[in-house]
Amino acid sequence: MAQDTGRSPLATAQAQLATAVEILGYEEGMHRMLATPRREMNVAVPLRRDSGEIELFQGYRVQHNISRGPGKGGLRYSASVDADEVRALAMWMTWKCAVVDVPYGGAKGGVTIDPKQYSTAELERVTRRFTSEIMPIIGPERDIMAPDIGTDEQTMAWVMDTYSVNLGYTIPAVTTGKPLQVGGSLGRATATSRGVVHSAQAALADAGVQLSEVTAAVQGFGKVGSHAARFLHEAGARVVAVSDELGGVHAPDGLDVNALLRHVAATGTVTGFADGDPIDNDALLALDVDVLVPAAVEGVLDEESAGRVKARWVVEGANGPTTTAGDRVLADRGVVVVPDILANAGGVVVSYFEWVQANQAYWWTEKEIAERLEHRMLTAYQAVAATARAEGITLRDAALTIGVRRVAEAHQIRGLYP
Ligand code: NAD
């Protein structure tokens, strides 16, 4: 088993890969191939602010692996983004795309900007400049972007437009998670959250439990967490607490999630919601609930906080919320962790559907998308759960083993050039 590696996402991702490589019995050369990004581009992104002042940001695009298809992965705007975080997120995308068997490799991008501090016009300029800088390595057959923390469907429309204008014609398939009016897909905005709930439902069913019988807490109330809370609530679960970066709200009898969504639409935060008591993020993770959904940032469940988790299931909406040491603590305590590369894969599944629709210029109905998403998520979950049972390993190690093996097989079959 890998060493305790602290909270660094890249250390966590590398330790997870090392465990999978050990289970699969691969040699050192294959391990290095899988551990090393194929291609990286670091760019300076200058911005002329509305005031006329010039600021400079760092931009990153990492294509961790492109053996099963084009790079695929989100674009993150956050002041704390760095090259290693983007490398970790790109690696997780590789295994995720392989686990749900979509024909992509894994990639990720980031810009060191806190979007809340900038105007819409400034964010548009940053997005267009970043896109222009990384033009040589992106494209519908090379590397396809999607929203992540701090970016949204408008960001994807600007990326698509910049790329298209530079090439002289409209190329919708260069991004996913776009607005419907410019080639987005029905169901994409809520797909990650729907997938979280499908995988939670499947994990609970393995223990003979239904969503309508459980209590849940959700950390993070953005694109993933807010809809996950809503779908859990709609499925009959009692959502007793949610949070965002400013704090959380707790109501032991259950939050009125729709009223909370209206509060957030009006104020921008879950804090200050009248029908609940304030709770901080640390306390939320330790609540006595059945299901805990971390849907914010990496590394929140470390050795110490994992030791305080009372939930029976942790369903990872976020990427990398659990460190290696945290994982060990949860496993020792019998907590079932539905891992990120499975639980939050619904987003990339519907991104794939969006890309297929854009390439064919033929649009599917919402019902078709919902049914195909559920089928993909449940098929992936069943394969992971069967491997976990057969090998006596955790769902995380089973998911990683399946993902890593599919990528390694692509390497082996393609051969090494020259
Ligand atoms: P988002 O920017 O829409 O929302 C992030 C939420 O987390 C916000 O509510 C924010 O206030 C909160 N937050 C930030 N820092 C926090 C902290 N330290 N403690 C508690 N809350 C905090 O981002 P998102 O798209 O919802 O992404 C959330 C997570 O899900 C990320 O790990 C992302 O990589 C992952 N993810 C997103 C998608 C997608 O389709 N958007 C798909 C797969 C995985």
Side-chain angles (χ1 to χ4, degrees):
M1 188 66 186
Q3 297 279 303
D4 178 358
T5 51
R7 289 169 73 119
S8 143
L10 187 58
T12 301
Q14 290 289 7
Q16 291 172 352
L17 171 63
T19 302
V21 164
E22 199 180 311
I23 292 170
L24 291 162
Y26 290 157
E27 289 166 8
E28 187 50 30
M30 177 58 86
H31 187 173
R32 286 226 186 116
M33 294 252 288
L34 298 168
T36 310
R38 298 291 96 190
R39 192 179 286 148
E40 300 188 351
M41 196 161 179
N42 298 343
V43 297
V45 186
L47 164 72
R48 189 182 301 282
R49 295 210 61 172
D50 296 341
S51 63
E53 225 176 290
I54 290 178
E55 275 186 37
L56 199 67
F57 305 101
Q58 278 300 309
Y60 308 95
R61 189 72 189 169
V62 174
Q63 294 168 357
H64 168 259
N65 198 286
I66 46 176
S67 293
R68 301 180 76 252
K72 182 80 190 84
L75 172 63
R76 177 171 293 193
Y77 284 0
S78 155
S80 64
V81 162
D82 62 26
D84 277 353
E85 181 181 37
V86 178
R87 289 184 183 118
L89 291 162
M91 185 188 285
W92 285 321
M93 284 307 299
T94 301
W95 316 141
K96 187 185 304 182
C97 291
V99 167
V100 288
D101 205 12
V102 292
Y104 296 136
K108 203 82 180 193
V111 179
T112 56
I113 183 170
D114 174 2
K116 292 198 189 73
Q117 309 301 324
Y118 295 84
S119 70
T120 302
E122 289 170 336
L123 291 173
E124 176 171 356
R125 290 199 287 279
V126 163
T127 303
R128 290 188 183 280
R129 181 62 186 251
F130 173 68
T131 305
S132 303
E133 294 287 348
I134 64 163
M135 277 278 294
I137 64 165
I138 61 170
E141 277 130 22
R142 295 169 183 234
D143 184 352
I144 307 135
M145 263 185 252
D148 190 77
I149 290 178
T151 59
D152 58 17
E153 59 177 32
Q154 178 61 71
T155 324
M156 292 305 112
W158 291 328
V159 171
M160 186 277 268
D161 184 70
T162 306
Y163 185 82
S164 300
V165 168
N166 273 287
L167 289 184
Y169 63 107
T170 299
I171 306 161
V174 66
T175 63
T176 60
K178 293 180 299 295
L180 287 177
Q181 297 89 327
V182 291
S185 174
L186 291 166
R188 173 60 185 89
T190 54
T192 307
S193 316
R194 278 202 192 282
V196 166
V197 176
H198 288 318
S199 53
Q201 203 159 17
L204 264 59
D206 278 349
V209 177
Q210 295 188 354
L211 275 175
S212 56
E213 303 169 59
V214 301
T215 54
V218 181
Q219 183 190 50
F221 208 72
K223 293 184 292 297
V224 179
S226 64
H227 295 296
R230 179 163 67 87
F231 295 141
L232 285 168
H233 175 72
E234 286 172 6
R238 186 150 46 97
V239 180
V240 300
V242 301
S243 67
D244 59 31
E245 62 198 306
L246 302 179
V249 282
H250 179 211
D253 291 337
L255 290 159
D256 179 344
V257 177
N258 290 319
L260 186 60
L261 285 163
R262 287 193 295 275
H263 171 82
V264 172
T267 67
T269 171
V270 300
T271 58
F273 181 60
D275 297 328
D277 301 319
I279 185 171
D280 66 31
N281 270 289
D282 278 351
L284 179 140
L285 296 176
L287 276 178
D288 190 3
V289 288
D290 300 302
V291 178
L292 176 63
V293 181
V297 288
E298 299 100 25
V300 294
L301 291 171
D302 59 11
E303 189 160 20
E304 187 274 323
S305 55
R308 292 187 285 113
V309 166
K310 296 191 190 69
R312 199 168 149 201
W313 293 271
V314 171
V315 185
E316 296 184 331
N319 287 308
T322 311
T323 68
T324 313
D327 234 359
R328 212 161 24 225
V329 170
L330 293 174
D332 287 349
R333 300 179 57 231
V335 179
V336 175
V337 178
V338 187
D340 45 9
I341 59 171
L342 172 64
N344 71 34
V348 82
V349 167
V350 177
S351 276
Y352 166 57
F353 296 164
E354 180 174 336
W355 180 77
V356 168
Q357 293 171 82
N359 284 331
Q360 297 182 339
Y362 180 80
W363 307 98
W364 307 352
T365 65
E366 197 154 14
K367 185 165 174 282
E368 283 169 321
I369 289 158
E371 285 171 0
R372 289 174 189 185
L373 168 63
E374 182 171 9
H375 178 71
R376 287 236 173 205
M377 289 303 298
L378 295 182
T379 304
Y381 176 85
Q382 295 310 342
V384 169
T387 299
R389 276 193 299 272
E391 305 287 330
I393 56 181
T394 62
L395 290 175
R396 176 166 343 265
D397 288 345
L400 283 163
T401 307
I402 290 172
V404 170
R405 191 181 54 232
R406 287 182 179 160
V407 176
E409 280 171 359
H411 275 284
Q412 280 155 348
I413 292 165
R414 289 178 60 152
L416 198 59
Y417 173 82

